[in-house]
Amino acid sequence: MENNTIDRKRQPQHSDIKINAYPEVETKKMKNGIQLFVMNIQNTDLVRIDFMFRGGAWVQDKPLQAIATLMMLKEGAGKLSPQQINQMIDFYGAKIYVKHSRTYCNLSVLCLKKFIKDVCKIVALFFNSPTFNDNSLQLVKQQLFTNYNIKKEKVGEMAERALFTELLGYNHPATSYETEEDFKNLNKALIEDYYNRFLNSDNCKVVLAGGVDANVMEIINNFFGNTYWGGDKPVLNVGKMICDRDIKPKTNCNNRVEYKMANKSMQAAVAAVNVLPRLKGKELAALLITNDMLGGFFGSRLMANIREKNGLTYGIASTIRNFVNYAAVYIHTETSNDYVDRVIEEIKLEIEAMAKQPPTSEELNRVKNYFCGKSARTYETNLDFPTHLINNIALGFSIEDIAQIHEDIQKLKPQDIAECAKRYLDTNGFIYAVARG
């Protein structure tokens, strides 16, 4: 009788993952100057439209101004009340989402191709004639205030805030965190001001994906591509405004800061950050793999040490935060109050080990395969890739840049990782923050 028992101590054979093809993206410029990115996906009746307005939180005059303005777009436009807008969107089976980041405000629309004209008619009202009524503003403020109360109870959130406040100071847009007073001061005049300056066709990019045929293109052009639309006091150079407000790390930071939570908690959060210049080409490829090897996935060194070996946390992660001219390696975890110091020491040991000894070829290939597999998941469904594209547009990367990164990653050698860690993961450059009750 055949023995089908699996030998779990022996790794099964596998093939290295390579990504050789990306969805084709056609770039156009509409009559009113909007840059349009088009992805025609076969065999789908869905259409996704993403409106990207440059600006985001970094150009707002007061906390909450950007996200509140985005949320208010759906709360009445033209002669339509919020209830009528919601009923019509539901009737057409559409979804409309808003999101903001440091440097962009996004409004995303997902609908069936056969209803795209009807849905675009509603969205055009958002941009051309929003009503910004006071009753709706109160509801938006309540939603945001609920989220604020939830976030301020999370040790991870408060550790991150303490960390970046120490790094950048209180007066930087990235650390202008909302307070209860900001909710009281948020008013219709602030909403109208942000709309008039930043939500307009001169400050917009559009990503169009799905079943994009000639009829869809004509509808998009008719509603959004022929003439100027949006606020009537557009800022002329939003890009320069963002660059002027890019992060400028302080030179006299404390190496460790503590944040005392309002309520007692057995759980503490540990966060660490090291600022470095924005990288490109082979250096960026090396940093991406170095970061994943350190703490970017379940099989990373930080997870193997701090979770698997020592049992100090359920999870720990390292990510790369991109700004305009700078980037940051950001490490975060949660642990018992009793383990905080030990977790910080183990993080330092793993960072030092990255620079002292190159990884084995086996470990490097495993991380490369993880990175490529993670990228492949970006294309699992027809409308996943636009999200990836939007994020890269916001960071200033092109489709060609994305493809080149994967080529550069395949060429990396173990010594490249050690040199990258030595150059960009200096333990003396990290700042640590702890939040606990």
Side-chain angles (χ1 to χ4, degrees):
M1 185 173 178
E2 186 179 355
N3 185 358
N4 292 322
T5 303
I6 298 173
D7 183 357
R8 298 190 182 276
K9 294 183 179 179
R10 201 170 91 187
Q11 181 176 331
Q13 292 183 348
H14 72 279
S15 299
D16 291 341
I17 300 173
K18 293 183 180 179
I19 297 179
N20 299 316
Y22 294 85
E24 184 178 345
V25 179
E26 186 180 0
T27 305
K28 300 173 178 285
K29 182 160 280 193
M30 295 197 276
K31 288 181 181 178
N32 58 2
I34 289 180
Q35 191 174 13
L36 176 66
F37 301 88
V38 181
M39 294 173 54
N40 184 19
I41 300 168
Q42 301 297 321
N43 303 318
T44 180
D45 291 323
L46 286 172
V47 174
R48 174 175 167 176
I49 317 165
D50 291 275
F51 299 89
M52 301 177 62
F53 300 96
R54 198 161 191 193
W58 277 16
V59 300
Q60 62 188 6
D61 293 328
K62 299 289 183 181
L64 302 169
Q65 193 179 10
I67 184 58
T69 303
L70 276 178
M71 293 173 69
M72 285 293 292
L73 292 178
K74 300 189 296 178
E75 299 296 325
K79 296 181 179 180
L80 298 178
S81 67
Q83 294 78 12
Q84 289 173 316
I85 288 172
N86 288 328
Q87 288 172 359
M88 293 171 74
I89 290 171
D90 286 345
F91 177 78
Y92 295 124
K95 296 289 183 184
I96 298 178
Y97 309 92
V98 294
K99 176 185 174 183
H100 87 305
S101 65
R102 293 180 292 271
T103 56
Y104 271 91
C105 286
N106 296 350
L107 185 141
S108 303
V109 181
L110 185 65
C111 68
L112 288 169
K113 184 162 61 173
K114 64 180 179 180
F115 294 133
I116 187 170
K117 185 174 181 180
D118 303 287
V119 174
C120 283
K121 192 180 295 185
I122 300 169
V123 174
L125 288 175
F126 294 168
F127 297 143
N128 287 308
S129 53
T131 53
F132 298 142
N133 69 78
D134 289 322
N135 289 336
S136 294
L137 179 56
Q138 293 307 312
L139 293 174
V140 167
K141 288 167 71 171
Q142 286 176 18
Q143 292 179 49
L144 292 171
F145 190 66
T146 299
N147 292 336
Y148 163 77
N149 283 323
I150 292 171
K151 285 195 294 185
K152 73 177 185 178
E153 295 298 322
K154 295 182 177 180
V155 288
E157 176 76 22
M158 303 318 291
E160 179 178 340
R161 292 188 177 197
L163 186 66
F164 281 96
T165 300
E166 178 62 28
L167 179 69
L168 303 173
Y170 286 97
N171 297 322
H172 191 274
T175 56
S176 296
Y177 301 114
E178 65 272 20
T179 65
E180 291 193 18
E181 195 65 27
D182 293 318
F183 289 92
K184 297 176 185 175
N185 295 334
L186 182 63
N187 55 43
K188 183 177 177 180
L190 286 172
I191 301 296
E192 290 176 337
D193 178 66
Y194 193 92
Y195 162 76
N196 282 324
R197 290 192 295 156
F198 299 109
L199 302 190
N200 58 75
S201 55
D202 286 354
N203 189 40
C204 182
K205 294 182 175 71
V206 176
V207 177
L208 177 63
V212 181
D213 54 24
N215 182 53
V216 169
M217 285 298 301
E218 182 180 2
I219 291 169
I220 296 299
N221 274 300
N222 287 342
F223 279 105
F224 306 109
N226 286 327
T227 59
Y228 177 89
W229 49 260
D232 58 10
K233 297 176 183 176
V235 173
L236 297 180
N237 196 339
V238 183
K240 183 179 184 305
M241 195 174 181
I242 291 171
C243 287
D244 290 343
R245 300 184 182 192
D246 191 20
I247 67 168
K248 297 175 179 64
K250 296 188 322 188
T251 56
N252 58 340
C253 296
N254 294 309
N255 290 330
R256 176 168 167 173
V257 292
E258 294 263 350
Y259 180 87
K260 179 73 172 174
M261 300 292 291
N263 298 318
K264 188 171 179 60
S265 171
M266 294 180 65
Q267 194 83 347
V270 176
V273 69
N274 186 30
V275 177
L276 47 140
R278 275 283 296 272
L279 303 180
K280 294 182 179 180
K282 295 178 181 178
E283 283 192 313
L284 175 58
L287 180 64
L288 291 170
I289 295 301
T290 301
N291 176 75
D292 276 351
M293 190 176 292
L294 176 65
F297 71 117
F298 197 84
S300 68
R301 293 187 180 191
L302 288 174
M303 283 290 281
N305 177 340
I306 296 173
R307 175 194 158 102
E308 299 298 318
K309 179 183 174 183
N310 290 303
L312 301 176
T313 181
Y314 284 112
I316 183 168
S318 173
T319 58
I320 297 173
R321 302 278 183 92
N322 284 292
F323 301 95
V324 180
N325 297 311
Y326 294 90
V329 177
Y330 177 68
I331 300 169
H332 55 98
T333 186
E334 293 185 17
T335 186
S336 166
N337 283 316
D338 298 332
Y339 296 153
V340 166
D341 292 336
R342 190 175 168 196
V343 165
I344 291 175
E345 287 307 311
E346 293 297 337
I347 290 172
K348 290 179 179 179
L349 289 173
E350 288 300 334
I351 293 171
E352 289 171 354
M354 292 285 296
K356 286 180 179 177
Q357 183 70 34
T360 64
S361 296
E362 181 184 10
E363 182 183 18
L364 178 57
N365 288 335
R366 183 170 68 248
V367 179
K368 284 182 181 180
N369 279 347
Y370 165 76
F371 185 90
C372 290
K374 176 175 64 174
S375 299
R377 288 200 301 272
T378 305
Y379 324 127
E380 277 183 339
T381 66
N382 286 336
L383 296 174
D384 278 344
F385 187 74
T387 301
H388 186 58
L389 177 61
I390 288 163
N391 292 337
N392 280 282
I393 290 172
L395 294 172
F397 293 123
S398 66
I399 292 291
E400 292 74 23
D401 292 331
I402 302 168
Q404 186 61 50
I405 285 171
H406 283 277
E407 288 186 25
D408 291 336
I409 281 173
Q410 298 304 323
K411 298 173 185 176
L412 290 174
K413 307 293 185 208
Q415 190 59 38
D416 297 326
I417 304 304
E419 290 175 1
C420 178
K422 193 178 298 184
R423 188 176 303 164
Y424 298 118
L425 297 184
D426 178 12
T427 52
N428 295 323
F430 275 88
I431 302 170
Y432 293 83
V434 177
R436 49 185 161 186

